[in-house]
Amino acid sequence: MSSQGGISTVQSSHGAGNQSVSKQGDWDLPPIKDIVSDLSGSSSLLPAQSSESFELEEQQAMFHALRDIIEKAQEVDEGGNNFDLKELHASLEEADATTKRGRRDADSLQSVVGTLNKLWNSKSEYLVQATEIIANGSRDPSWRVPFGQSGILKFFLDVISLKDGVDTSLLLQSLRVIGNSCADTDENRDIVVKGNYTLAIIRYFLDPELVFIAIPVIYNICMDYEPAHAQIATNRTAYILLKLIKDGEIEDNEALLNFSYDLIELASEQAEGIEKSPDGTILLLMELALDETLQFSHFSSLVTSLAAYLEKERFQAVCVSNDMVEGVLDVLRRSFSIEVDQSSAEDVKAIAQLRLKINQALSEVSASPLFSQHYPLDSSLSQTLKSWVVADEDQLQICACVMLGNLARSDEVCQVMVRDLKIHEELIFVLNGESRGAVLHSSLGFLKNLAIAGDNRIILGEAGIIPAVSRLWAYESVPQVQFSAASIARQVIISSIDNISHLLAPLSIDPDSPANQRTYLSLLLSLFEKSDSTPIKTEIGRTVASICRTVSPKARDEDEQANALLGKLFTLHEGLALPLGAMITQTQWPVVRSEGWFALALMATHKLGCAAVVDCLHKTEVTELLKTTLGAEPSSQETTEETDKSQENKDRDNAFILVKELLKNEAGTLPLGYRDMLEDLVKVHTAQLRAIAGA
């Protein structure tokens, strides 16, 4: 953003602000005067005005001398008194575009400082006129640095730092000098910030005759100058401006509103300033954002600021404990009705970013431990979110899934959501529709939470979760969706024969259809073959392992359903054991590797499973790992890496069982020479175990 230049006189159109404490519910909104009085800034270093006086002729001479210094270099702007606030931006651009006449000499201005001090000390009526001349001169960029170096800027900073006894006209012209001198001039801004003079200027936000000049002055000081951002934030500028706008003190001036909303957003980017803001700041941000007459640029500043406040735990707690989360939901909903220039790519992108910011803020708020206490499942907010699960707007759906998912932190809540509220049915409806990837991802995340508790897995299976997620295993454009969809399949079949039956169900009930010989697990194995993602491959492997872990023990107990499932598992699924090989060969998760060895050993206990195991040994690097695992010395000593050694020993035991079961059940499936290699491994490992036992 460019700075605001060419500040001239402006006229106030409002009376004094309401200074009484306003409240809404349990919110205290402190008066601005109380906020300002709690802050401390620089004191004026101007000497007290003396009783010494100069003859009128002498005052005139001093004034004329000061005027001549300025006018010799530059003609005074005669239109200053009627300057329109809307022209502030344009005036600076025009000034910068003109040919520069070179920097003024700061030394030549020393006499001006002396003259100003004399006029001040004598309470001269010419001081206001002299200040106006300097203010007009400061509109020329070439004067700005010399004004700072000579001490002229400091003089007027000290003038406005005096709290009492200064004529309003002098204050107005002094503010003009400061604002113009700081436009795009970091040297002068540094003078202001080092002395914390921004607070003195902010105090004039309370003055109905000066607020219309004080706000543009702060704007000039802040634009593209980071140190000033931090200072105005610490001086609680965001709250002060929000309160002024809410109280209607500057609502009739569009240019001033533009400056104010920009400053609110700047101040809200500073963490320290946010921490110092009153609790009611977020109420003001929400209420203003919901104003039906608000233009998009102002809405953008308010929402960006609100999201910044809600990143902080303090304001998350304030929002929840004061039952204001509904207000944030309303802001998100408002983002879909506010007028946006659809022909502007920048505006379209901006509104999308704002919705993401609000959703992120709501995600953080709903993750607060206080959230579930204030918003139980039977609250109106929860009912609103439930209706949003199948809303027409993506970001409303995502919001609902994330926030309700954050509520689903206990088995009891998850069971109520599924058993009583039947939220899973709406989520499965979303999965079966044409939703975009982000919505699918959030819906899947919510379902994963729900699938953990109690009997929810069974209910989800009966509701058709397997067919619903199976179509997403081919969702190649968003790998996160593929992963979550595969993960849910694993989640719902854990210890569930019924859901394993759903996973092994034919894709078509028509016996003449080729799909009758393919199952949903076949689709998952197809994803394994196509995917380059280790997490996806591993999740599919864990699904196969879970099937073996659940069905094999029941089959050994002559369970008819389990034996039938094992038959389908081994006869209909080529490459069934390859995902287990991926679990073993990955190096990121040792526990997953052990799970793979165990599942492969379970598979080898069945004659039909041995063929799948042999296929895995041929097509993967598992054979080499098998040799390494069984050929290494077993550890019998405790070390600093005791957990790692325990894991290695577990892997070795499972690999040993795998080889023994394979030798017992392979029924001629092993190629020539392969059986001899496995028998040698058994002998070596057995000898090692005996050596340890005899030690």
Side-chain angles (χ1 to χ4, degrees):
M1 291 183 259
S2 64
S3 293
Q4 173 55 45
I7 297 175
S8 183
T9 54
V10 287
Q11 301 299 317
S12 169
S13 60
H14 289 273
N18 178 12
Q19 298 301 326
S20 62
V21 175
S22 61
K23 298 188 70 174
Q24 179 165 333
D26 295 329
W27 293 80
D28 284 332
L29 300 174
I32 300 173
K33 67 175 184 179
D34 292 350
I35 292 291
V36 173
S37 65
D38 289 340
L39 301 171
S40 59
S42 289
S43 300
S44 175
L45 298 180
L46 286 177
Q49 291 174 304
S50 66
S51 58
E52 176 186 4
S53 63
F54 295 91
E55 294 295 331
L56 184 58
E57 293 78 4
E58 191 174 355
Q59 294 181 38
Q60 289 177 335
M62 287 189 289
F63 168 69
H64 291 148
L66 181 149
R67 184 182 60 186
D68 288 345
I69 292 173
I70 304 297
E71 289 185 340
K72 282 179 181 177
Q74 177 176 311
E75 182 178 351
V76 176
D77 176 11
E78 296 178 352
N81 286 335
N82 297 313
F83 191 79
D84 186 347
L85 187 61
K86 292 183 179 179
E87 298 175 6
L88 287 175
H89 273 303
S91 65
L92 175 64
E93 293 170 0
E94 291 172 5
D96 286 342
T98 60
T99 302
K100 301 296 189 294
R101 288 185 284 270
R103 286 185 172 236
R104 310 302 183 186
D105 183 2
D107 292 338
S108 67
L109 296 175
Q110 292 303 315
S111 60
V112 173
V113 178
T115 300
L116 289 171
N117 278 305
K118 289 178 181 179
L119 293 173
W120 168 261
N121 288 335
S122 63
K123 302 180 182 179
S124 172
E125 64 186 54
Y126 285 102
L127 182 56
V128 174
Q129 297 176 56
T131 304
E132 184 175 359
I133 290 173
I134 294 172
N136 290 337
S138 63
R139 295 180 66 181
D140 183 342
S142 64
W143 274 120
R144 294 169 187 166
V145 171
F147 279 178
Q149 293 174 342
S150 64
I152 291 176
L153 173 61
K154 180 67 165 56
F155 174 86
F156 290 110
L157 287 169
D158 286 336
V159 169
I160 59 102
S161 295
L162 292 168
K163 297 181 180 179
D164 303 301
V166 182
D167 181 76
T168 298
S169 297
L170 176 58
L171 290 172
L172 188 148
Q173 298 301 335
S174 298
L175 287 167
R176 286 188 63 218
V177 174
I178 296 165
N180 290 339
S181 297
C182 289
D184 292 332
T185 309
D186 288 353
E187 292 179 47
N188 290 347
R189 291 166 169 170
D190 188 56
I191 294 171
V192 176
V193 170
K194 282 186 176 178
N196 194 15
Y197 287 107
T198 57
L199 178 58
I201 302 168
I202 290 168
R203 286 196 178 101
Y204 294 109
F205 289 7
L206 281 65
D207 189 326
E209 296 185 80
L210 295 173
V211 60
F212 295 93
I213 192 74
I215 290 176
V217 169
I218 288 294
Y219 185 90
N220 268 8
I221 293 167
C222 286
M223 286 305 97
D224 302 317
Y225 189 63
E226 188 70 27
H229 301 177
Q231 190 169 101
I232 68 161
T234 302
N235 288 335
R236 304 177 190 178
T237 304
Y239 177 82
I240 293 170
L241 288 171
L242 287 166
K243 192 72 166 61
L244 284 172
I245 296 170
K246 182 64 180 175
D247 291 346
E249 296 305 309
I250 53 178
E251 63 181 0
D252 294 338
N253 196 307
E254 182 179 352
L256 203 63
L257 281 172
N258 290 339
F259 300 149
S260 298
Y261 280 114
D262 283 348
L263 288 170
I264 288 167
E265 184 174 349
L266 280 180
S268 298
E269 293 171 354
Q270 307 297 317
E272 185 177 355
I274 290 177
E275 291 301 328
K276 291 179 179 293
S277 294
D279 290 352
T281 305
I282 57 173
L283 177 64
L284 294 174
L285 287 166
M286 280 186 276
E287 288 186 339
L288 290 172
L290 294 172
D291 182 356
E292 292 294 331
T293 65
L294 198 67
Q295 60 181 264
F296 175 63
S297 62
H298 298 168
F299 179 79
S300 177
S301 293
L302 291 168
V303 171
T304 299
S305 300
L306 178 61
Y309 275 80
L310 292 178
E311 287 178 0
K312 307 300 180 184
E313 289 186 13
R314 171 194 158 200
F315 282 99
Q316 292 169 14
V318 167
C319 184
V320 173
S321 60
N322 286 276
D323 298 324
M324 287 303 298
V325 180
E326 292 96 334
V328 188
L329 290 182
D330 288 340
V331 172
L332 178 59
R333 186 159 29 200
R334 175 75 179 106
S335 73
F336 291 98
S337 61
I338 193 165
E339 186 175 347
V340 178
D341 183 1
Q342 295 297 327
S343 65
S344 168
E346 184 177 345
D347 283 0
V348 171
K349 180 179 179 181
I351 191 65
Q353 289 298 317
L354 289 177
R355 289 169 186 152
L356 290 174
K357 288 179 181 179
I358 305 172
N359 254 343
Q360 182 59 41
L362 286 165
S363 174
E364 297 289 341
V365 167
S366 60
S368 163
L370 292 172
F371 182 71
S372 60
Q373 299 174 25
H374 286 263
Y375 295 100
L377 285 180
D378 58 356
S379 66
S380 60
L381 180 138
S382 293
Q383 296 304 311
T384 297
L385 292 175
K386 185 175 183 294
S387 70
W388 283 8
V389 170
V390 291
D392 293 332
E393 302 292 350
D394 289 1
Q395 291 301 321
L396 297 185
Q397 291 180 280
I398 292 169
C399 174
C401 290
V402 171
M403 295 186 73
L404 290 173
N406 282 338
L407 271 180
R409 297 289 184 87
S410 69
D411 284 0
E412 180 182 1
V413 170
C414 288
Q415 288 177 286
V416 170
M417 283 183 170
V418 171
R419 183 185 63 240
D420 300 336
L421 301 183
K422 302 189 184 304
I423 287 178
H424 66 290
E425 294 180 359
E426 295 172 341
L427 292 168
I428 291 173
F429 175 81
V430 171
L431 299 187
N432 285 322
E434 300 300 323
S435 297
R436 293 170 58 189
V439 175
L440 294 171
H441 188 244
S442 60
S443 300
L444 290 165
F446 188 13
L447 280 166
K448 283 176 68 176
N449 269 13
L450 296 176
I452 296 173
D455 295 332
N456 282 3
R457 288 194 294 273
I458 303 301
I459 299 174
L460 289 173
E462 293 171 347
I465 187 67
I466 295 295
V469 297
S470 69
R471 61 189 292 270
L472 302 179
W473 297 335
Y475 202 90
E476 297 178 357
S477 57
V478 185
Q480 297 95 324
V481 169
Q482 284 185 312
F483 173 78
S484 294
S487 184
I488 284 185
R490 180 186 65 81
Q491 190 73 49
V492 297
I493 67 165
I494 294 174
S495 303
S496 173
I497 285 287
D498 289 340
N499 284 344
I500 290 173
S501 297
H502 293 313
L503 187 62
L504 297 180
L507 297 178
S508 172
I509 59 174
D510 182 358
D512 296 327
S513 170
N516 182 256
Q517 296 301 304
R518 300 192 74 221
T519 68
Y520 290 103
L521 179 59
S522 301
L523 300 179
L524 200 55
L525 294 173
S526 294
L527 171 59
F528 175 85
E529 293 175 3
K530 296 176 182 178
S531 178
D532 294 326
S533 166
T534 297
I536 289 177
K537 286 179 171 290
T538 300
E539 201 70 2
I540 296 170
R542 296 184 70 194
T543 302
V544 175
S546 184
I547 295 172
C548 294
R549 189 183 288 269
T550 299
V551 177
S552 291
K554 293 182 179 294
R556 284 197 296 269
D557 294 336
E558 303 300 327
D559 183 286
E560 186 175 335
Q561 183 183 16
N563 275 305
L565 289 174
L566 275 181
K568 294 178 68 174
L569 181 68
F570 294 131
T571 57
L572 297 180
H573 303 98
E574 185 179 351
L576 175 67
L578 296 181
L580 299 180
M583 294 173 68
I584 293 169
T585 56
Q586 61 82 34
T587 58
Q588 192 170 353
W589 305 287
V591 173
V592 171
R593 183 183 64 235
S594 295
E595 188 180 351
W597 282 122
F598 179 77
L600 210 57
L602 272 179
M603 198 173 282
T605 62
H606 304 277
K607 294 187 183 299
L608 291 174
C610 280
V613 173
V614 172
D615 182 54
C616 174
L617 294 175
H618 279 174
K619 294 180 179 178
T620 67
E621 299 172 359
V622 173
T623 297
E624 293 304 315
L625 285 174
L626 186 64
K627 294 177 182 178
T628 302
T629 301
L630 288 179
E633 286 284 341
S635 174
S636 61
Q637 298 180 353
E638 292 186 3
T639 69
T640 55
E641 299 177 344
E642 184 176 347
T643 302
D644 293 340
K645 292 299 181 183
S646 174
Q647 195 76 56
E648 291 173 7
N649 288 341
K650 184 183 296 184
D651 289 354
R652 189 176 296 106
D653 291 343
N654 285 329
F656 184 60
I657 294 171
L658 164 63
V659 173
K660 288 185 67 176
E661 292 296 329
L662 192 57
L663 290 172
K664 182 171 67 175
N665 299 308
E666 56 93 12
T669 57
L670 287 171
L672 186 67
Y674 207 94
R675 184 179 182 88
D676 294 339
M677 180 269 292
L678 293 180
E679 288 175 342
D680 288 342
L681 285 176
V682 170
K683 292 176 183 177
V684 170
H685 186 65
T686 302
Q688 290 173 341
L689 292 177
R690 287 172 179 167
I692 291 174

